[in-house]
Structures are given as C-alpha cells and as structure tokens.
Amino acid sequence: MKFYYCLSFCLCGRMHQPEDAEKFQQEIVNKIKSGKGCNVALLMVGKGIGDTIVLSGFIDILKQHSCKVSVICYDRLMSVVPSFLSTVDEFILVSKHDCALKYMFNKKNFDVVVDFFDPDVNFDHHKLKFFLKLKCHNIIGFNQDNNALNFIPSPGMEDTERHYSNVVKNFYAKSYTYNETQPFSHRAVKLLNEYFGLNIPSEKYRYRLDISASVANSVSGYISELKNSGNNSGCIPQVIVFNTTASDKYRSLSPDLVNRMCEYFISCTNEYRVIIMNFKQDDLKVTSPKIIFNPFKTFDEVIALIKYADFVISPDTSIVHVGCAFDKNAIYFYNNRLLNTGHENNVVWGPINKNYLQVFSDQFVRNVHGDDLRELKFSIVKDALIKMEII
C-alpha cells in the first residue's frame, strides 16, 4: 500500500495541461522537419515478440527521419528482440519486481515516450513505476482517458487503487482515442502522421526485421540444399515452413490435424519439402523425407527460415507477423477470439501483407479464448491448401 501512495505522490506533480501537450508536440515536429530528429522511447512492458514485430515499421520510419529510438522492456524481449531490431539505439531492461525507489536516480531523458497499448490492470502499476526512470514528461498513449472505466481493484485495495487509477489516466500528456476496427499497425501510422507530422500511407507501412549475414548464409544454404534434393525427380521442390503451435492451447493445431496435413503434403502431385516447427517428433505418425523437423534453434534463424522459404503455414502467433515482414505466400489460421476490449482479434492482430489466406475456425464461441483450433476440421484446411495451389 505504501508503494501506491508513494507513486501517486510522485506522479501527481506531473499532471499536464493541454497547452503542455501542444508545446511538446510542436517541438518534436520542428526537430523532425529540420532533420535533427528526436529522442523516442517505446514502452513495451509486458509485451511479446509479435507486438514488437508489428511496431518494427514504426521504429524503422523514425530512424529514417534521424530519430534516436529506445525500447523499454522486460527480459522476455531483451533476450530475443535486439538481434532482429538492430537499428534500435538502446534497450532498457526493467523488472516488474523492482522497487519504485530504484528509478528515482539515473533517470533517462527522452523527447517523447510512446505507449501504444490500452490500459491493462495487470501492467498499469508496473509501467507507471517505470516512468519514474524517465526525465521525460511527454508520455503519449492510446485510450488512457478511459482508464477508470477498465479499473478493476484488488480485494482490500479498492480505495488505494481507485485513487491511483485516477492518477494514471491524467499522467499522459496526450492520449488518442482509438476504436480497433483495423490492424494494430494503423495505430503506428496514426501516430507517425498526426503526432510526428509525417505523411505515411497505411498501405506503405511495412515491418522491418534484420538478419545477420552469418545467419542468412547458414539458413539460405540449408534451403538451397533442400531444393537441390528434388533434382532427381526433375523438379525443384517448394519449401514450406509449417508452424503448428501458438502461445496458448486454443490457438494451436491438434496432433491429428498436423498428421493429416503432413499426409496431404506427401500425396501432392507437386514436390514440397515441409519444415515442421514446434511439434513433438513422437506425435508425428507419418514418415517421409519430404517432412523435416526444424533443425534451427534461435528465433533469428526462424526469421531467416521464413524469409528464404516459399510458403508459410501457421496459427495466430508471432510467426504470422514474420511472414508479413517478407510478404510471404501463406495460410494463417485464426480462431475468432475477442480482445478484452471486445474487438476482433482476427482484424486487430491479423496479417497485413497481400499474399496470404486467412482461415477462420467455425465454432464462433465469441469469447476472449476464441474457438479451440484443436477442433479445426481438416476439410477447411484442405480447401485452403487447394485454394493456395498446394496440390
């Protein structure tokens, strides 16, 4: 309880008036127009790899306009993301277990801190604690004005957290109201245009993922060997990356469906080499030199694998966004889940490139878990494969 009151006291002195926000914004626009750029931090506390990939285009565009970009994140991202977002100037590691007083000294200074994500009772008290690490008073957010509406107090902490929540919603210098009826990437475009003074068409927004030369050479060489393995049959096989699993069971494919899909690939008239990911070898009931378990271990290598493959198949997970980064021909399975805001995950976190087929489950339970993709019918999958000319 002492933490809440201490933090609230620290933040109360940093409330903003509308003229402050306008002043901050104009200074940033002027810096960008002059070619000097500005110092931007992205708050990615509690977020995942897929979230970061979707915002990689935002980082890339700011870097093209001479901006310095930092990412504030947990160890979950720190251990993976820096290698494929090599243009980020600094990754700032924070921990949800840190005491607020730890951030009172050696503060970081930015022109603007961007929080792309809606209020979340699971992380709000963590991320605002990290604001104490910053000298920046210019925090930009989305839907933060509605924070009190999403406020769910902990038992026995109602009065304390209600006071804290009222501090939260006033802490942002500017908050954009945004109802999610388009891909999440449109938030990035909105901010680039309306706040940073740029003119980026939404259809031009692209993810940017970096691959080291050593990883690129290793993986591309492996793909070339797979393609050469089909020379005896007189045709060069296409390489398919087949990811079977997402971060939760409702968005993962069943072993039975995976096996039926592998049987289908083997029986195709065309030649394919299918690299299967995130699937137990003991669960694969069919054997064929055409079905290969992913030999690579790091996420960097997976990114390269998708880049150099011909086709991608995956349920809703970060692999979808990697495929979008390279505009791959693909089939992506989505389970109609609703976000906590009630919006359609199929749209908000759906693919944004052109060469894909988004396939939906057919249960339509309409909740935050969505349909169980383990119940996805093979007939739906087969129709999708044929439509994408995997025959």
Side-chain angles (χ1 to χ4, degrees):
M1 184 175 293
K2 289 181 180 179
F3 161 72
Y4 285 99
Y5 283 123
C6 174
L7 185 55
S8 296
F9 175 79
C10 294
L11 300 183
C12 280
R14 298 178 64 171
M15 303 305 181
H16 299 290
Q17 300 299 322
E19 56 269 21
D20 293 332
E22 292 178 5
K23 176 185 175 183
F24 290 147
Q25 180 180 3
Q26 192 57 53
E27 289 175 351
I28 286 171
V29 170
N30 290 340
K31 286 182 177 181
I32 290 178
K33 286 183 176 180
S34 69
K36 296 179 180 179
C38 57
N39 195 353
V40 183
L42 268 65
L43 188 66
M44 298 296 294
V45 170
K47 302 307 172 184
I49 295 172
D51 305 318
T52 313
I53 293 172
V54 170
L55 294 175
S56 63
F58 178 81
I59 295 170
D60 184 46
I61 291 169
L62 288 180
K63 294 299 296 181
Q64 292 176 29
H65 289 83
S66 303
C67 294
K68 181 179 179 181
V69 180
S70 301
V71 173
I72 304 170
C73 62
Y74 288 160
D75 182 66
R76 175 188 180 189
L77 291 186
M78 183 72 84
S79 61
V80 177
V81 172
S83 58
F84 66 78
L85 289 184
S86 62
T87 59
V88 171
D89 295 279
E90 183 179 13
F91 286 88
I92 301 171
L93 177 64
V94 293
S95 170
K96 62 184 177 181
H97 303 297
D98 288 339
C99 170
L101 294 177
K102 176 178 178 179
Y103 299 107
M104 296 299 291
F105 307 98
N106 300 318
K107 297 180 181 180
K108 298 287 184 179
N109 191 18
F110 300 101
D111 294 313
V112 59
V113 175
V114 179
D115 177 11
F116 275 104
F117 300 91
D118 291 337
D120 184 341
V121 293
N122 295 312
F123 289 104
D124 277 355
H125 61 290
H126 292 308
K127 68 184 181 184
L128 285 175
K129 177 175 63 177
F130 306 141
F131 285 159
L132 293 177
K133 192 179 179 73
L134 313 173
K135 292 180 181 178
C136 178
H137 286 215
N138 189 25
I139 316 294
I140 305 303
F142 283 84
N143 300 328
Q144 298 299 328
D145 292 338
N146 300 322
N147 194 41
L149 299 177
N150 295 280
F151 174 64
I152 303 175
S154 304
M157 296 288 288
E158 288 85 354
D159 292 339
T160 300
E161 290 192 11
R162 185 171 291 106
H163 169 69
Y164 176 70
S165 179
N166 288 330
V167 174
V168 170
K169 68 177 182 178
N170 292 310
F171 186 67
Y172 291 76
K174 188 176 182 65
S175 177
Y176 288 89
T177 299
Y178 197 81
N179 290 321
E180 220 76 65
T181 57
Q182 297 174 310
F184 193 86
S185 57
H186 284 228
R187 290 193 182 201
V189 175
K190 182 181 182 72
L191 212 59
L192 289 166
N193 294 341
E194 297 184 18
Y195 190 82
F196 290 92
L198 301 176
N199 183 23
I200 308 297
S202 58
E203 64 272 15
K204 298 293 185 182
Y205 185 86
R206 291 290 181 269
Y207 308 155
R208 154 102 185 236
L209 304 180
D210 303 312
I211 304 172
S212 69
S214 59
V215 169
N217 291 336
S218 172
V219 176
S220 63
Y222 175 78
I223 296 290
S224 294
E225 289 179 6
L226 285 185
K227 287 181 173 292
N228 289 334
S229 68
N231 285 344
N232 293 335
S233 63
C235 63
I236 298 176
Q238 292 187 61
V239 175
I240 299 174
V241 173
F242 178 23
N243 176 52
T244 65
T245 306
S247 57
D248 71 63
K249 60 185 180 181
Y250 295 100
R251 293 183 286 125
S252 299
L253 305 180
S254 71
D256 179 66
L257 179 59
V258 172
N259 275 282
R260 294 193 67 181
M261 291 175 68
C262 287
E263 290 173 354
Y264 177 87
F265 296 136
I266 294 169
S267 68
C268 284
T269 302
N270 295 331
E271 281 284 319
Y272 300 103
R273 297 294 180 268
V274 180
I275 302 173
I276 191 169
M277 293 172 48
N278 300 314
F279 195 71
K280 296 179 181 178
Q281 291 196 26
D282 291 343
D283 288 339
L284 189 65
K285 306 306 180 185
V286 297
T287 58
S288 169
K290 297 180 180 181
I291 309 296
I292 304 138
F293 280 91
N294 177 25
F296 299 105
K297 304 300 181 184
T298 69
F299 195 72
D300 290 9
E301 291 169 320
V302 169
I303 291 174
L305 195 62
I306 291 170
K307 177 179 179 179
Y308 294 112
D310 299 296
F311 202 94
V312 178
I313 299 174
S314 178
D316 170 23
T317 187
S318 59
I319 298 299
V320 172
H321 306 302
V322 176
C324 291
F326 301 110
D327 203 22
K328 304 305 293 187
N329 293 319
I331 296 173
Y332 300 129
F333 301 113
Y334 276 67
N335 71 336
N336 306 309
R337 72 186 180 100
L338 298 178
L339 302 176
N340 292 333
T341 57
H343 294 109
E344 300 280 353
N345 175 77
N346 294 347
V347 175
V348 178
W349 294 106
I352 66 166
N353 62 319
K354 298 178 181 179
N355 301 315
Y356 67 88
L357 177 63
Q358 193 175 14
V359 177
F360 307 108
S361 51
D362 62 353
Q363 300 166 37
F364 300 104
V365 297
R366 309 296 293 170
N367 63 25
V368 294
H369 294 299
D371 302 341
D372 192 338
L373 274 186
R374 293 171 298 179
E375 302 299 324
L376 185 65
K377 298 180 180 68
F378 176 69
S379 59
I380 294 176
V381 175
K382 183 177 179 181
D383 288 345
L385 290 167
I386 292 171
K387 187 172 183 178
M388 294 300 286
E389 300 182 351
I390 304 295
I391 53 179

